[in-house]
Structures are given as structure tokens and as C-alpha cells.
């Protein structure tokens, strides 16, 4: 009996030791889980916190140093493009992106057109002038020959455009001024108007080929290389019927994404037009960031349309006009030619051309605006 009691006592002691040991291990596991959960909560909070990136890339820092002080180390010229023999600085991609964003906000045609970045001197596009023939046929019927589409190879070259903004050395020495953003905005301001005018009136020689530089044909008489135009004679005003004729001359496949582009002077004229029910065809925007509507389609004002060549454009610009940008931009710092200012000579290569003449219609109101007033 004594042996049994002793054995039970030893067994109870072993069970207690085992239980205590397991409880300690469980407590350690719970403690580890609590610490892990706390760390996960801290990570989750950190991920939800707004990220403030204060660092700049080395190329952007080098660009800022170049703007303020120029190139001190001649070895830094290795960063320029191979075809620049004047010691220009290759603008980093982040600054180029900033310049292009400013350009898009200031250039009406660029904002609406298709834009492609290229790394060579031109972009080649194959365009179908005519559609291929197709036909229905039974399983055992003979198949007649069908015509193949007529293809046109269009090469859109990138032409050089430049800007020469100036700034005082004192401003460059001011550490509180973000000179990189300032220079990007100035370059965009200088280039935007020039390139937008080229997208409208350029002749294709050392500049893009403009939408309004092509020969015209009457509405409904579409022809490759010519833009359908409704010319308003000097003895009449533009009417709602004229706008309707132009609107319905556009193929349905191009209506989605189409818009009106006109000058402020033309907009003031069109806004007064009423239909047969004495209702204005112009629909004012209900919000500041939304465009006005004309016959249900957005209206964009373009101050670069020349008063002596006043035209109203109705087009799906994204399908009608192609813009090409060279990926790289260069800037040359000149502290000598315009003392006491520092001059920056920035160059950009851009091209453009019409790739679809069916997606553009024009109302020519030149004669109305140039009619002598009595």
C-alpha cells in the first residue's frame, strides 16, 4: 500500500510539473502573439499614414545644381545627349514629365490628340485610305476576287522647338525657390503657344503639319488629304442649321470622343445662336471644371486660332491627329549673353500630323469676321 501511495504521489508531482511547464510555454506563446499583433498594428498604422517623400533622385539633384551653378566638373558633360556639342544638360525624366504635364494643360490640341513618345527621329504609320471589300457566300459558291485596301505610309518627323527663359542669379541663389519646377513651368509656357499654333497652322517644314493647313472640300465630299469644310458666306450669319449640317456629316464611329474647338470670338457668336424653337443651342456648364456643351458635345476654347483665319473645328482629335514627342530634352545654361540675367536655352523635339481626315469637320467663318463694318 505504501508503494502505491508513493507511486501516486510521484505521478501527481510529475503531472504538476508537466502542467506548470506547459502553462509557461503557453504563456510565452501568448506573449509572442501579443507582441506580433502589436507590431502588425504599428505596420498597418504606418501604411495608412500619408507618405512624405523628401528625397530626390541624384539626376534631379544634379539638374538643380546645374540650374543654380552650372557644370563645375567637366566630366558631368557625359550626361548630355550625343548630338549636343554645346555642353547642354540632359533634363532628367522627372523634369521632362513635369514639363509635358504643363504643356498638356496649356495646349488645347495636345490635350485632346493622341500623343506618342519616340526615341528616334520619326514615327512611321500605315494608314488605310480605302476599306477592303468583303461579301457573303454559301459553302459551295465561287469566291470572287476582292479589292485590297490602299495603304499610305505616313512618316511624322520630330522637329526642334526651343524656349529661352531668363532669371536673375539672385533668384537662383535663393534656396527657398524650387528652381527646377520654376524652369519647367517657364519652358512649358514658352513652348505651349508655339507648338499649339503649329498643330493648327504648321506647314510641315521644320514644324508639325497643322490641322488647318490642309486643303478643303465641301461637306459630304470626303477625299483623302482634304478636310470637309462648310464655308459661311459674308452675306449671312452662322445658324443652328449650319452646325447641324456639320454635326451630322461626322460618321457615327467618330462621334464618341468628338468635341468643338473654337476661339473666344467664335464662341461669343455661337453662344447667341437659337434653334427653331427659340432655344439656345449652347448649353452652359454646370460646374467650373466641366466644359460647355454644343449640341451635346464639349466645347474647348483655343486662343491660338487666328482672327483672320477664324474657323470652328468639330473633330474627334484623338483619332484624327497624332503628336510625337522625342523622349529627351536638353537645356543649355548661358550666364553671359543676357547679363545680369542667366538665360536657359531649352530644346524639345515634337511633330504632328493628321492621320484621319474623316474625323475632322470645319466651319469656316473667316468671311463673317472680316466683313467690313458700316
Amino acid at each position: 500500500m505504501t508503494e502505491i501511495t508513493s507511486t501516486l504521489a510521484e505521478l501527481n508531482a510529475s503531472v504538476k510539473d508537466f502542467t506548470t511547464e506547459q502553462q509557461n510555454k503557453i504563456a510565452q506563446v501568448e506573449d509572442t502573439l501579443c507582441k506580433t499583433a502589436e507590431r502588425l498594428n504599428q505596420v498597418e498604422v504606418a501604411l495608412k499614414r500619408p507618405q512624405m517623400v523628401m528625397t530626390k533622385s541624384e539626376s534631379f539633384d544634379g539638374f538643380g545644381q546645374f540650374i543654380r551653378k552650372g557644370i563645375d566638373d567637366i566630366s558631368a558633360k557625359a550626361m548630355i545627349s550625343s548630338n549636343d556639342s554645346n555642353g547642354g544638360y540632359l533634363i532628367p525624366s522627372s523634369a521632362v514629365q513635369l514639363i509635358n504635364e504643363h504643356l498638356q494643360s496649356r495646349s488645347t490640341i495636345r490635350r485632346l490628340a493622341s500623343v506618342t513618345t519616340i526615341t528616334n527621329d520619326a514615327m512611321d504609320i500605315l494608314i488605310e485610305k480605302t476599306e477592303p471589300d468583303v461579301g457573303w457566300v454559301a459553302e459551295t459558291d465561287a469566291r470572287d476576287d476582292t479589292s485590297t485596301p490602299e495603304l499610305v505610309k505616313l512618316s511624322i518627323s520630330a522637329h526642334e522647338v526651343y524656349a529661352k527663359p531668363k532669371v536673375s542669379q539672385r533668384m537662383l541663389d535663393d534656396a527657398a525657390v524650387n528652381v527646377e519646377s520654376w524652369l519647367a513651368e517657364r519652358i512649358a509656357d514658352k513652348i505651349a503657344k508655339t507648338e499649339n499654333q503649329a498643330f493648327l497652322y504648321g506647314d510641315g517644314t521644320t514644324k508639325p503639319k497643322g490641322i488647318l493647313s490642309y486643303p478643303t472640300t465641301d461637306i459630304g465630299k470626303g477625299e483623302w488629304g482634304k478636310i470637309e469644310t462648310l464655308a459661311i458666306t459674308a452675306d449671312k450669319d452662322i445658324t443652328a442649321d449650319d452646325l447641324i449640317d456639320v454635326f451630322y456629316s461626322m460618321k457615327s464611329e467618330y462621334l464618341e470622343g468628338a468635341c468643338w474647338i473654337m476661339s473666344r470670338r467664335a464662341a461669343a457668336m455661337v453662344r447667341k445662336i437659337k434653334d427653331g424653337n427659340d432655344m439656345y443651342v449652347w448649353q452652359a456648364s454646370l460646374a467650373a471644371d466641366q466644359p460647355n456643351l454644343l449640341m451635346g458635345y464639349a466645347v474647348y476654347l483655343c486662343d491660338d486660332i487666328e482672327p483672320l483665319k477664324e474657323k470652328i473645328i468639330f473633330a474627334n482629335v484623338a483619332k484624327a491627329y497624332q503628336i510625337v514627342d522625342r523622349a529627351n530634352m536638353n537645356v543649355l545654361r548661358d550666364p553671359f549673353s543676357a547679363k545680369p540675367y542667366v538665360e536657359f536655352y531649352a530644346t524639345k523635339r515634337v511633330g504632328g500630323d493628321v492621320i484621319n481626315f474623316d474625323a475632322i469637320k470645319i466651319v469656316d467663318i473667316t468671311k463673317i469676321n472680316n466683313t467690313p463694318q458700316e
Side-chain angles (χ1 to χ4, degrees):
M1 189 69 179
T2 304
E3 293 179 357
I4 294 175
T5 303
S6 176
T7 303
L8 288 174
E10 291 177 356
L11 182 60
N12 288 334
S14 298
V15 170
K16 285 183 178 180
D17 291 342
F18 177 77
T19 303
T20 302
E21 183 181 355
Q22 295 303 314
Q23 288 176 344
N24 290 336
K25 290 182 177 180
I26 292 173
Q28 292 177 357
V29 171
E30 291 178 347
D31 183 59
T32 303
L33 289 175
C34 289
K35 291 181 179 179
T36 303
E38 184 178 353
R39 292 193 188 99
L40 289 175
N41 288 335
Q42 292 175 351
V43 170
E44 184 178 0
V45 171
L47 291 174
K48 291 181 178 180
R49 186 179 301 126
Q51 300 298 310
M52 300 298 292
V53 180
M54 302 301 293
T55 59
K56 295 181 179 179
S57 65
E58 292 183 5
S59 62
F60 206 82
D61 284 337
F63 180 55
Q65 175 66 23
F66 168 76
I67 294 174
R68 294 180 187 274
K69 301 295 183 182
I71 298 178
D72 296 327
D73 184 3
I74 195 65
S75 64
K77 289 189 177 183
M79 298 182 68
I80 67 175
S81 61
S82 59
N83 62 352
D84 187 353
S85 60
N86 297 319
Y89 197 98
L90 187 66
I91 301 178
S93 58
S94 54
V96 172
Q97 182 179 0
L98 184 60
I99 292 173
N100 287 333
E101 289 175 356
H102 285 306
L103 282 173
Q104 186 170 355
S105 65
R106 289 162 171 77
S107 174
T108 305
I109 304 300
R110 173 179 286 275
R111 186 164 67 249
L112 300 172
S114 295
V115 181
T116 302
T117 301
I118 61 176
T119 56
N120 49 9
D121 293 332
M123 182 175 77
D124 295 331
I125 304 175
L126 281 178
I127 302 174
E128 293 183 1
K129 288 178 60 176
T130 60
E131 297 181 356
D133 286 340
V134 295
W136 296 102
V137 67
E139 181 179 0
T140 59
D141 287 351
R143 272 70 171 172
D144 295 331
D145 292 337
T146 59
S147 63
T148 56
E150 183 180 353
L151 299 179
V152 175
K153 182 180 178 181
L154 178 63
S155 181
I156 304 178
S157 301
H159 306 282
E160 186 170 302
V161 60
Y162 72 92
K164 295 175 68 176
K166 300 177 184 177
V167 62
S168 67
Q169 184 62 54
R170 178 174 296 183
M171 177 181 171
L172 294 179
D173 293 336
D174 188 352
V177 178
N178 188 335
V179 292
E180 298 93 333
S181 297
W182 173 88
L183 182 61
E185 190 169 348
R186 295 287 80 77
I187 291 174
D189 285 339
K190 299 290 186 181
I191 292 179
K193 183 178 180 64
T194 301
E195 74 167 20
N196 203 48
Q197 287 179 330
F199 296 151
L200 290 170
Y201 300 104
D203 58 7
T205 304
T206 70
K207 65 185 66 172
K209 183 75 171 178
I211 295 173
L212 301 178
S213 65
Y214 279 92
T216 62
T217 186
D218 293 336
I219 291 291
K221 298 181 179 179
E223 183 180 345
W224 175 262
K226 295 183 179 181
I227 297 179
E228 294 184 21
T229 301
L230 176 66
I232 308 299
T233 59
D235 59 347
K236 66 184 289 289
D237 294 328
I238 183 173
T239 64
D241 290 344
D242 296 326
L243 298 177
I244 291 174
D245 289 339
V246 171
F247 175 83
Y248 282 103
S249 67
M250 180 74 74
K251 293 181 179 180
S252 300
E253 60 187 290
Y254 303 126
L255 286 177
E256 184 177 357
C259 64
W260 302 87
I261 303 173
M262 62 187 73
S263 67
R264 295 180 185 275
R265 184 176 178 182
M269 183 186 307
V270 172
R271 190 157 189 169
K272 302 171 186 176
I273 297 176
K274 296 182 180 180
D275 60 18
N277 297 321
D278 202 34
M279 300 290 293
Y280 288 105
V281 297
W282 184 286
Q283 299 160 350
S285 172
L286 299 178
D289 59 343
Q290 297 297 319
N292 296 303
L293 300 179
L294 178 60
M295 302 180 67
Y297 288 80
V299 178
Y300 294 97
L301 300 182
C302 181
D303 294 328
D304 296 317
I305 295 179
E306 300 176 10
L308 297 180
K309 301 177 182 179
E310 198 89 61
K311 293 178 174 63
I312 298 173
I313 301 172
F314 181 59
N316 187 324
V317 186
K319 294 183 178 181
Y321 198 78
Q322 176 68 57
I323 295 174
V324 295
D325 283 328
R326 268 296 288 270
N328 297 332
M329 293 180 60
N330 281 29
V331 61
L332 178 67
R333 187 179 190 273
D334 181 5
F336 307 109
S337 301
K339 289 183 177 180
Y341 299 98
V342 177
E343 190 173 61
F344 293 92
Y345 177 73
T347 57
K348 180 179 187 294
R349 299 187 67 182
V350 59
D353 205 342
V354 175
I355 58 175
N356 191 335
F357 293 91
D358 289 336
I360 305 175
K361 312 297 176 184
I362 293 175
V363 184
D364 189 347
I365 57 175
T366 302
K367 294 183 178 180
I368 297 179
N369 290 321
N370 294 334
T371 301
Q373 300 295 323
E374 295 182 359

